[in-house]
Amino acid sequence: MPGRGEAPCLDATEVEVVTAMGGDESPARADRLMEVICDWKNVETAAQAVMRNKGAPGIDGMTVKQLPEVLKARWPQIACELVEGSYRPQPVKRVRIPKPDGGERALGIPTVIDRMIQQAVLQQLQPEWDATFSEYSFGFRPERSAHQAVAAAQAYVVSGYEHVVDIDLPKFFDRVNHDRLMARVAKRVTDKRVLRLIRAFLTAGAFDDGAFAETREGTPQGGPLSPLLSNLVLDELDRELERRGLCFVRYADDCNIYVRSEKAARRVMASVTRFLERRLKLQVNEAKSAVDRPWNRTFLGFTLGNAPRFPRAIAPKALRRFKERIREATGRHRGVSLKRMIADLNPLLRGWAGYFGFSEGREMASLDGWIRRRLRCMLWTQWKTRRRRFSQLRRGGVSEKTTYAAIMSCKGPWRLSSSEALHRALRNKTFAKAGLVSMATYAPA
């Protein structure tokens, strides 16, 4: 039974989710899982997935374009080693990418061959494992998405669960305990060759700036198997939260628990932190974890309100980061043509609108206007001389009086970018004709 101030989870019908159904695994297939993994049709599908996903080479320098020829020449030997249990993965190449908050995220890039083998394993394990995972887990799962997770969280908030326990697990993928993970894998996989292969991937080591480092913990981000294994680790957390009757939504290592009162939220924070640290051997970042109102926190880039008409909106941090990227791309002194600048902008605008268009606010239309103003400012600066500015404004259909007022103005480029003269010369349809993506119309309904 849920504690006071807590609530039972929403019925599955209240949130649209899709869960794969898996049949019972036959003993013959369980004991010969490696042979199924090495079946050529499965391998061919895995190779196509790796090539489709592209990605950087591993430590051997092999690219995804070389995979078909390498498989043609080497697959019989590799398959033999896998079936015999003697295959040894190569170390991953460790790279670091910047995080929006200023930190770094470490990625471990396996070789293309190892990525393909991991993908082949994933294709056999995921359909069976996924069917057993919690319906409140949304990350790295077929037919599930971040948008579904946000919608599920919003449903809780609108229903009156106005306190959130926001738990942050720092460097989760780097701190998974191998022995605990393999114990959970062993409950689902009986083929010892597959168990040895998965552990070999976990302990293959990494080359970091040319120096080899052992990997005694963690599931390095960058390999196809890592997301599935991480979900297996955190499935234990999901089951514990379900056992307690708590309302929660988890997307990968982002877990939010929703309760009705602050007192209940603080009690849940303390008890779940103990569970994570003592039972799962994971660290909780006290500085970033918090008990708060949902509309004061960010979940997957959105903030969530507490009334049916309160829209889910783009989080302020996400908006700031987006504007910083636009400012870099539309710098007044880049010295590139409008066509080139729009070509650089469009992939960013499509990707951003495709995700954040899920917002119920009106940010997209406002951002469209702001981006066009940035472009007007850029063009005004590029025109430089009064003679050229006069020519461009008149060509754009601006009256002579308004043109003189603009070119003789003492206002700077940014202030002039919102003037009548520049709006008349550089209309919205001018940018549309040049190919600029409108996020307000591109965003999903």
Side-chain angles (χ1 to χ4, degrees):
M1 294 293 292
R4 189 175 182 180
E6 301 165 23
C9 296
L10 293 178
D11 186 83
T13 59
E14 296 182 271
V15 178
E16 183 181 357
V17 295
V18 180
T19 304
M21 299 300 293
D24 294 334
E25 185 177 23
S26 68
R29 183 188 184 281
D31 292 338
R32 296 182 59 80
L33 178 58
M34 185 62 82
E35 281 76 8
V36 177
I37 290 170
C38 292
D39 180 81
W40 178 246
K41 288 185 178 179
N42 185 55
V43 171
E44 191 174 35
T45 302
Q48 291 171 354
V50 169
M51 290 187 289
R52 185 169 55 249
N53 293 335
K54 300 181 180 179
I59 62 170
D60 61 356
M62 176 183 163
T63 67
V64 292
K65 291 183 179 180
Q66 297 173 289
L67 182 57
E69 288 300 318
V70 172
L71 278 183
K72 186 176 180 180
R74 292 183 50 198
W75 178 246
Q77 177 188 350
I78 295 172
C80 183
E81 292 176 2
L82 288 168
V83 170
E84 292 177 351
S86 60
Y87 182 82
R88 292 295 176 266
Q90 296 190 62
V92 299
K93 180 171 69 174
R94 185 165 292 162
V95 297
R96 291 178 173 80
I97 58 175
K99 295 173 66 175
D101 60 6
E104 289 183 329
R105 176 181 287 109
L107 297 181
I109 303 177
T111 64
V112 173
I113 289 293
D114 285 341
R115 289 210 296 272
M116 188 215 66
I117 295 173
Q118 286 193 35
Q119 179 66 30
V121 175
L122 176 71
Q123 289 168 182
Q124 295 304 314
L125 298 184
Q126 187 168 49
E128 295 174 2
W129 292 13
D130 191 79
T132 69
F133 289 155
S134 169
E135 64 183 284
Y136 306 104
S137 164
F138 293 87
F140 307 130
R141 299 183 62 187
E143 306 299 332
R144 289 173 177 250
S145 68
H147 288 171
Q148 289 179 333
V150 172
Q154 186 181 21
Y156 290 137
V157 177
V158 171
S159 297
Y161 305 114
E162 298 183 356
H163 292 80
V164 62
V165 179
D166 188 352
I167 298 175
D168 182 77
L169 301 174
K171 297 183 178 179
F172 162 73
F173 288 90
D174 299 329
R175 291 173 174 165
V176 170
N177 182 281
H178 286 174
D179 290 337
R180 284 191 56 82
L181 170 57
M182 289 308 303
R184 293 188 66 80
V185 174
K187 291 180 179 180
R188 296 166 177 259
V189 175
T190 58
D191 191 324
K192 294 183 179 180
R193 298 167 298 177
V194 177
L195 293 174
R196 285 195 297 268
L197 178 64
I198 293 174
R199 183 176 279 276
F201 278 122
L202 294 173
T203 60
F207 273 98
D208 192 351
D209 288 333
F212 177 78
E214 294 183 351
T215 49
R216 298 179 179 177
E217 62 179 0
T219 59
Q221 289 177 276
L225 262 181
S226 182
L228 180 65
L229 296 177
S230 68
N231 269 335
L232 183 61
V233 171
L234 290 177
D235 185 62
E236 193 169 353
L237 170 64
D238 297 342
R239 298 309 178 188
E240 176 65 15
L241 298 180
E242 288 179 351
R243 186 186 66 80
R244 299 183 187 188
L246 292 167
C247 297
F248 71 97
V249 177
R250 183 176 66 79
Y251 189 92
D253 56 337
D254 288 325
C255 183
N256 278 5
I257 306 168
Y258 296 89
V259 295
R260 291 188 181 273
S261 72
E262 182 179 356
K263 182 178 179 180
R266 296 197 179 281
R267 182 173 65 248
V268 169
M269 171 65 84
S271 63
V272 172
T273 297
R274 286 194 300 270
F275 176 83
L276 287 166
E277 293 182 340
R278 297 178 184 178
R279 180 75 175 270
L280 301 189
K281 309 300 181 184
L282 296 173
Q283 181 180 344
V284 174
N285 187 336
E286 295 183 3
K288 292 187 177 181
S289 300
V291 168
D292 206 339
R293 298 288 195 171
W295 45 92
N296 294 331
R297 304 295 293 180
T298 297
F299 183 55
L300 301 178
F302 294 91
T303 57
L304 306 173
N306 64 334
R309 290 189 176 183
F310 194 109
R312 57 177 173 263
I314 302 171
K317 285 184 179 180
L319 280 171
R320 284 197 298 271
R321 288 197 296 265
F322 175 72
K323 285 191 170 185
E324 287 172 3
R325 296 180 68 183
I326 295 297
R327 288 189 182 98
E328 292 177 3
T330 59
R332 281 182 273 168
H333 304 291
R334 278 192 64 193
V336 299
S337 68
L338 177 64
K339 184 177 181 181
R340 168 64 186 277
M341 190 167 284
I342 288 176
D344 292 342
L345 278 174
N346 280 344
L348 170 60
L349 303 185
R350 290 191 188 97
W352 211 81
Y355 182 76
F356 285 104
F358 192 59
S359 168
E360 294 173 328
R362 298 181 179 178
E363 302 98 336
M364 294 301 172
S366 176
L367 287 170
D368 277 343
W370 179 76
I371 291 167
R372 288 191 294 266
R373 185 178 177 185
R374 292 284 308 175
L375 294 175
R376 291 185 182 103
C377 179
M378 179 271 295
L379 288 171
W380 182 256
T381 303
Q382 285 188 351
W383 292 340
K384 293 184 179 179
T385 66
R386 287 178 176 174
R387 176 175 292 183
R388 188 178 180 195
R389 288 171 177 173
F390 182 89
S391 173
Q392 292 289 346
L393 291 180
R394 293 291 286 147
R395 183 183 300 173
V398 183
S399 70
E400 188 171 327
K401 180 180 177 180
T402 304
T403 296
Y404 273 117
I407 66 175
M408 299 304 292
S409 173
C410 62
K411 295 178 181 178
W414 180 245
R415 291 184 67 186
L416 277 171
S417 64
S418 63
S419 67
E420 179 186 355
L422 281 174
H423 270 268
R424 283 182 177 273
L426 299 168
R427 299 174 184 270
N428 294 357
K429 64 182 181 181
T430 303
F431 296 111
K433 188 175 180 180
L436 181 67
V437 167
S438 168
M439 295 194 295
T441 57
Y442 183 84

